[in-house]
């Protein structure tokens, strides 16, 4: 805890006074344009990765960046999605998976998490990704499978996202785009799903072309 308390002290003594005006403005409300759904993994730092300021990203995190389909599980994720789309009117939702994800490893080795009832149950939402990888990626080694699972899981969760009425309505009205990204932790490199080429490609490359939504 010492580390956190020292950090808090630095924030209060140095960071807040330096950025007083910015934080005073934030007190009056938020208008983030992006809902960023990612894994709870401590190595993912969305604001640092995308050089975003406080107030810019509405973030939803859970183990495995899972979005249960509408009706499957009304909880924190569905409420966050609905609030982001209906109240905040975000223009984009990003589902961001990552390399070396413990949840993806759990999908590959369910016996290792069998004693953790909540985790084992939550992993059920990754079953589609696991089935795809098992069917078409049997030649891959463990690390390649974990990475491919992260990609397939992002695609599955994007599809789940589309089942939410708020998302479906906003997409139909062309006021919302959804995006699938996968982060490589050790390089900070992000690959994005390209609907045009139906594959993941470097983020800069995918967003060079107009209409990448
Ligand atoms: Zn993870």
């Amino acid at each position: 805890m010492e580390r956190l308390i020292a950090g808090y002290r630095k924030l209060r003594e140095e960071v807040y006074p330096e950025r007083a005006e910015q934080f005073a403005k934030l007190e009056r409300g938020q208008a983030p344009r992006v809902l960023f759904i990612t894994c709870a993994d401590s190595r993912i730092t969305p604001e640092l990765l995308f050089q975003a300021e406080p107030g810019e990203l509405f973030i939803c995190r859970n183990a495995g960046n899972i979005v249960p389909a509408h009706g499957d599980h009304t909880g924190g994720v569905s409420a966050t999605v609905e609030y982001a789309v209906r109240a905040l009117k975000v223009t984009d939702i990003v589902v961001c998976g990552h390399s070396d994800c413990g949840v993806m490893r759990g999908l590959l080795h369910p016996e290792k998490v069998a004693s953790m009832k909540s985790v084992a149950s939550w992993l059920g939402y990754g079953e589609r990704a696991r089935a795809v990888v098992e069917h078409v990626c049997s030649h891959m080694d463990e690390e390649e499978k974990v990475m491919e699972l992260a990609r397939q899981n992002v695609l599955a969760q994007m599809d789940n996202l589309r089942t939410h009425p708020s998302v479906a309505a906003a997409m139909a009205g062309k006021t919302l785009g959804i995006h699938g990204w996968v982060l490589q932790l050790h390089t900070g490199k992000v690959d994005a799903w390209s609907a045009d080429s139906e594959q993941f490609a470097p983020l800069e490359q995918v967003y060079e072309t107009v209409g990448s939504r």
Side-chain angles (χ1 to χ4, degrees):
M1 288 308 285
E2 286 86 353
R3 171 71 193 82
L4 291 190
I5 291 158
Y8 175 69
R9 194 167 286 137
K10 185 174 178 199
L11 177 95
R12 298 284 299 135
E13 288 168 3
E14 297 175 27
V15 180
Y16 260 71
E18 278 168 19
R19 301 168 72 165
E21 206 176 310
Q22 180 186 14
F23 285 108
K25 209 188 243 179
L26 290 173
E27 179 74 28
R28 296 195 287 273
Q30 63 167 336
R33 302 287 77 206
V34 176
L35 166 61
F36 196 82
I37 300 171
T38 194
C39 186
D41 193 294
S42 64
R43 298 164 293 179
I44 302 172
T45 50
E47 281 93 349
L48 182 67
L49 281 166
F50 302 102
Q51 296 292 290
E53 291 292 325
E56 285 192 291
L57 296 177
F58 196 66
I59 300 179
C60 178
R61 303 185 74 149
N62 62 58
N65 39 273
I66 301 282
V67 182
H70 176 67
D72 277 1
H73 176 99
T74 300
V77 179
S78 45
T80 303
V81 167
E82 188 172 42
Y83 186 79
V85 175
R86 290 247 163 95
L88 298 174
K89 303 196 185 320
V90 297
T91 56
D92 296 274
I93 301 178
V94 176
V95 180
C96 186
H98 68 104
S99 60
D100 193 42
C101 182
V103 175
M104 300 306 115
R105 287 195 196 283
L107 280 171
L108 275 185
H109 303 284
E111 70 284 357
K112 289 187 182 166
V113 296
S115 64
M116 293 183 272
K117 292 271 184 291
S118 299
V119 174
S121 161
W122 189 243
L123 284 182
Y125 293 112
E127 183 57 23
R128 174 179 142 183
R130 193 200 60 75
V132 170
V133 169
E134 191 141 284
H135 190 63
V136 296
C137 305
S138 54
H139 59 287
M140 289 182 177
D141 67 22
E142 168 94 10
E143 292 315 306
E144 286 174 325
K145 275 188 186 168
V146 168
M147 199 59 191
E148 188 55 28
L149 264 175
R151 295 187 193 102
Q152 292 298 331
N153 180 54
V154 161
L155 296 179
Q157 305 314 324
M158 286 169 77
D159 280 347
N160 286 350
L161 207 41
R162 293 185 187 95
T163 68
H164 288 253
S166 57
V167 172
M171 287 187 80
K174 304 220 181 307
T175 56
L176 178 70
I178 65 175
H179 312 259
W181 295 358
V182 177
L183 164 70
Q184 184 93 51
L185 287 170
H186 73 287
T187 58
K189 184 173 171 285
V190 174
D191 284 340
W193 174 250
S194 164
D196 295 338
S197 62
E198 296 197 333
Q199 61 184 358
F200 281 91
L203 185 138
E204 306 91 311
Q205 197 178 306
V206 172
Y207 290 88
E208 258 168 21
T209 51
V210 182
S212 51
R213 271 180 189 174

